[in-house]
Amino acid sequence: MQIVVLPGDGIGPEITDATLHVLERVKQMLSLDLTFDTRQIGLASLQSASTTFAPSVLDACRRADGIVLGPVSTAQYPSRDHGGINVSAELRIQLDLFANVRPSRTREGLAHWGRTPMDLVIVRENTEGFYADRNMHRGIGEFMPTPDLALSIRKISAFASSRIARAAFGLAATRRRHVTAVHKANVLGVSDGLFLREVRDVANTHPDVAYDEQLVDSMAALLVRDASRFDVVVTTNMFGDILSDEASELSGSLGLAASINVGDRHCMAQAQHGSAPDIEGQNKANPISLILSAAMLLDWLGRRHTDAKLTAAARVIETSVDAVLLKPSTRTIDLGGPLGTTAFTTELCKVIDACPP
Ligand code: NAD
């Protein structure tokens, strides 16, 4: 199986390198049929190929069995006309990666900032909403009729709402069987009204899964007060983006925040956080988020191809990360520990090597 690896910008190359070390370790341990094809994107590609995302790299992603994408410094990119393509958005659109699956869980022995332990997954719609680059057929969903007036369009469709709801209920059936829909239908009655209509329709076909609804502002408070009450949370694009950063930080650190972007045919591992230019090149980045994202990709590949070895590899990575995090002396700097990116990766690989195959 071919995995295309896109290191990205900022801390991207450092945490991608760490992730590849871990993937090579589990590949050897479990004799996995995996090959890695690393391609240049982002600011490095802008210099060498005048674009942050060359068409040949997109083609390689289309053909691949899976993708690992490092964070990209989109805030530093020039306009699209000058080669600045947001790689993350482009892949989500081109490969129809409609579900962004973002787990957050607290870990034994590790401090968390919310008042209760948590183990939840935010299932975020990825292809429409307030995102100006993906909600119009032509042009972009943000415009300025006068120099002092700016407008944004928010697109919510029955199709996208229904399929993200089906993804959420499908996931909940494998967990604690509880879905919470997050919305703002009290002020966005038409668009979030449509979103809720579709989610409720899907809920009616899953009588075995408990269903409730929460306003997004209350949800922000409840995540701090009692995140233990949530299992699977389904929501629109921007609410999901914001709430998942909050949930991950509350669980311990944004550096723990794994995610996959998934469609019917493709899956892309991608950390929840950005390219952290403030710590770039300092060996301070926590690589766990991208490493656990890669584990989620292995798990997805394992289920898709009914390959128990890939699923086992995902479990080995997850349990090894938990084991390393148990000891304060083997934690990364963002978690109050002493280890930089490379030293943490070495510790993690030692624990993986000691796992029974
Ligand atoms: P950020 O997530 O990069 O950083 C926020 C804070 O968290 C910073 O203090 C950073 O040092 C810290 N942080 C993030 N990841 C960390 C890690 N793995 N280990 C330790 N600390 C970590 O957000 P930002 O600063 O707002 O954005 C920086 C750039 O990233 C911008 O260009 C933005 O557009 C881009 N961005 C990209 C993605 C993506 O590629 N998916 C997502 C969000 C932001």
Side-chain angles (χ1 to χ4, degrees):
M1 266 177 238
Q2 179 92 341
I3 308 291
V4 168
V5 180
L6 310 172
D9 304 306
I11 60 170
E14 298 163 67
I15 62 172
T16 306
D17 193 48
T19 303
L20 275 174
H21 267 84
V22 168
L23 288 173
E24 286 289 356
R25 269 323 214 272
V26 290
K27 173 182 164 173
Q28 275 170 29
M29 171 195 268
L30 292 158
S31 308
L32 302 178
D33 167 30
L34 288 180
T35 53
F36 304 106
D37 175 15
T38 301
R39 303 286 184 118
Q40 198 176 59
I41 55 157
L43 295 169
S45 168
L46 188 66
Q47 273 202 335
S48 60
S50 304
T51 173
T52 54
F53 195 25
S56 58
V57 181
L58 174 59
D59 284 346
C61 293
R62 267 191 217 290
R63 290 191 306 269
D65 296 289
I67 303 158
V68 175
L69 173 64
V72 281
S73 290
T74 40
Q76 289 178 44
Y77 287 7
S79 68
R80 200 175 172 101
D81 298 349
H82 292 92
I85 298 172
N86 178 342
V87 184
S88 165
E90 193 70 7
L91 280 164
R92 289 173 185 182
I93 296 163
Q94 295 294 337
L95 303 187
D96 199 22
L97 304 171
F98 64 85
N100 189 196
V101 182
R102 295 185 152 190
S104 291
R105 75 180 163 88
T106 46
R107 289 168 171 86
E108 206 188 320
L110 190 67
H112 53 85
W113 312 116
R115 292 194 190 147
T116 60
M118 66 162 95
D119 178 3
L120 60 82
V121 184
I122 293 179
V123 179
R124 163 197 177 199
E125 205 291 320
N126 237 354
T127 61
E128 52 180 35
F130 255 130
Y131 283 63
D133 60 353
R134 66 201 76 167
N135 59 13
M136 300 288 270
H137 171 59
R138 253 187 172 191
I140 59 164
E142 232 193 346
F143 42 94
M144 235 173 158
T146 75
D148 297 316
L149 175 67
L151 299 172
S152 298
I153 299 283
R154 178 171 184 257
K155 173 183 163 191
I156 300 293
S157 70
F159 171 75
S161 302
S162 178
R163 74 174 173 173
I164 199 65
R166 279 181 267 123
F169 278 86
L171 177 63
T174 68
R175 292 175 46 93
R176 302 197 306 277
R177 296 182 175 272
H178 178 195
V179 171
T180 304
V182 173
H183 64 96
K184 189 71 179 167
N186 53 339
V187 288
L188 297 168
V190 177
S191 52
D192 266 352
L194 176 61
F195 171 71
L196 287 180
R197 184 189 82 188
E198 293 302 313
V199 181
R200 287 171 190 162
D201 275 358
V202 175
N204 286 336
T205 65
H206 287 81
D208 51 333
V209 176
Y211 173 67
D212 55 18
E213 295 168 358
Q214 204 68 59
L215 288 169
V216 65
D217 38 347
S218 329
M219 185 69 185
L222 288 173
L223 282 176
V224 178
R225 190 190 301 163
D226 182 12
S228 67
R229 66 162 82 176
F230 300 110
D231 176 20
V232 174
V233 175
V234 63
T235 191
T236 50
N237 201 342
M238 194 169 285
F239 293 164
D241 196 16
I242 296 167
L243 291 175
S244 55
D245 268 32
E246 183 193 351
S248 300
E249 190 63 27
L250 288 171
S251 80
S253 169
L254 193 51
L256 298 171
S259 87
I260 49 171
N261 298 271
V262 61
D264 291 331
R265 293 173 42 223
H266 299 276
C267 182
M268 175 169 82
Q270 182 183 24
Q272 289 182 33
H273 57 72
S275 59
D278 53 334
I279 55 168
E280 172 183 358
Q282 297 171 38
N283 195 28
K284 283 184 180 167
N286 183 347
I288 293 177
S289 42
L290 193 59
I291 290 169
L292 289 180
S293 303
M296 290 177 76
L297 170 62
L298 294 182
D299 183 61
W300 181 85
L301 285 168
R303 283 182 285 112
R304 183 173 171 80
H305 298 283
T306 331
D307 183 337
K309 285 200 294 185
L310 287 166
T311 320
R315 269 204 310 275
V316 165
I317 295 173
E318 279 161 19
T319 53
S320 300
V321 167
D322 283 359
V324 179
L325 287 179
L326 262 180
K327 286 193 284 177
S329 61
T330 54
R331 291 179 189 156
T332 47
I333 296 161
D334 59 312
L335 296 171
L339 299 188
T341 317
T342 47
F344 174 82
T345 308
T346 305
E347 281 301 319
L348 178 59
C349 287
K350 276 192 221 160
V351 174
I352 289 174
D353 287 346
C355 271

